Structure formats: structure tokens, C-alpha cells
Amino acid sequence: MITHIVMIKFKEKTKKEDILEIKKDIEELTNTIKELKFMEVGLNFANEDRAMDLVLTSKFDSKEDLNIYAKDATHQKVIAKIKKVAEFTKVVDYINE
């Protein structure tokens, strides 16, 4: 199993409703991408300088399935939306043993 984690830091001027819409868009990917076996999306409540604003954890059966997800057109639309309002993103991919 492959775990894919993405953390997003939004630009300060990003509106709360835009963040909530992105969260919803990410969560809806489970309805359209069959390779996506699990998805959890959370909004941060910690008030620390090092804190990120949103995290998603997803799981796939293989690296190949992760690559299919990465290239999926619906996923790419969500990424484009995120890039407009994100200060930066971080990612971790690992194999569950």
C-alpha cells in the first residue's frame, strides 16, 4: 500500500470559503478516481508559525495507481485551483510495510 500526504499553506489573503471549497473538491475525488482507496482531509486549528493550513492523506494499492491519480484530469483541475491560492505545498509518499 502507498500513502500519499500533501500539506498546503494558503496565502494570507485566501478566503475561508475558498479553502472550504478546495477541501470539498479534494474530498470529492474519491467519487471519480477508482484507484484512490482512502482519503482524509483536515483543516488545521493549531496557531503556530510552522503549522500548515490543510492536510490530505490518501492511500493507493501501488505506485502505478498513485501515478494514475496524479495525472487524472479532475485531480489536475483541483491542483490548478490550489495553485492559485497556495503559498506553498509539501508532499510525502511512502510505502506501508
Side-chain angles (χ1 to χ4, degrees):
M1 176 116 340
I2 302 295
T3 299
H4 172 67
I5 300 171
V6 178
M7 295 176 286
I8 303 170
K9 182 71 171 179
F10 292 105
K11 295 175 185 173
E12 243 180 84
K13 65 180 181 180
T14 306
K15 296 176 186 172
K16 181 73 171 183
E17 57 263 23
D18 292 335
I19 293 170
L20 292 174
E21 184 178 323
I22 286 170
K23 180 181 184 290
K24 182 178 177 251
D25 291 345
I26 294 168
E27 291 169 337
E28 288 178 354
L29 292 173
T30 59
N31 299 326
T32 59
I33 304 172
K34 68 178 177 68
E35 291 79 12
L36 181 54
K37 300 303 180 192
F38 169 83
M39 171 79 73
E40 182 176 67
V41 184
L43 296 174
N44 176 54
F45 64 83
N47 191 16
E48 299 180 36
D49 289 340
R50 66 186 178 138
M52 302 294 278
D53 298 313
L54 182 146
V55 63
L56 72 92
T57 303
S58 52
K59 295 193 180 282
F60 302 86
D61 286 335
S62 65
K63 289 180 184 179
E64 293 77 17
D65 285 352
L66 174 59
N67 288 330
I68 291 167
Y69 163 80
K71 295 174 185 175
D72 180 85
T74 305
H75 178 238
Q76 287 297 316
K77 288 178 186 175
V78 175
I79 289 173
K81 188 183 269 189
I82 291 168
K83 285 182 177 183
K84 291 178 183 178
V85 294
E87 186 73 30
F88 60 90
T89 62
K90 301 289 182 179
V91 65
V92 175
D93 294 324
Y94 62 91
I95 299 171
N96 299 84
E97 296 185 28

